[in-house]
Amino acid sequence: MLERSQGWLNTLLMLNFFLVLVGFAGFGVALLSRDTWPGLWQGWLWLWQPLWQPAIGLLMLGALVTGARNWWQNRRQD
C-alpha cells in the first residue's frame, strides 16, 4: 500500500513539475511580448495567485518531503 501511494505521489509531482515548466515558458513568452500582446501578460499575472504559486509551492514541498523520506530510509538501512 505504501509503495502504491508513493508511486501516485511521484506521478503527481512529475506532472506538477511539467506544469511549472510550462508556466515558466509562458512567463518568458508573456514577458517578452508584453508590449505587443498586453493581454497575454495580464492573463499570466491573473493566474499567478490561484495556479502558479500553489504549483511552485507543491513542487518545493514535494522535493523536501521526498528528500527527507529518502534520507530517513537510507539512515534506517545503515
Side-chain angles (χ1 to χ4, degrees):
M1 179 72 176
L2 184 62
E3 291 177 17
R4 189 173 184 181
S5 64
Q6 286 176 354
W8 280 102
L9 178 63
N10 286 337
T11 302
L12 175 70
L13 290 174
M14 186 174 28
L15 291 173
N16 186 42
F17 173 72
F18 286 116
L19 175 68
V20 169
L21 282 180
V22 167
F24 181 67
F27 171 74
V29 169
L31 183 65
L32 292 175
S33 65
R34 68 180 175 199
D35 292 333
T36 308
W37 298 323
L40 189 62
W41 176 250
Q42 291 300 320
W44 196 92
L45 287 177
W46 184 72
L47 287 174
W48 173 250
Q49 192 78 24
L51 181 64
W52 303 122
Q53 271 187 344
I56 294 169
L58 181 63
L59 186 65
M60 288 189 285
L61 178 65
L64 290 173
V65 168
T66 302
R69 180 177 44 99
N70 289 339
W71 174 80
W72 184 259
Q73 286 177 350
N74 289 339
R75 185 173 175 235
R76 288 181 56 200
Q77 289 177 358
D78 292 340

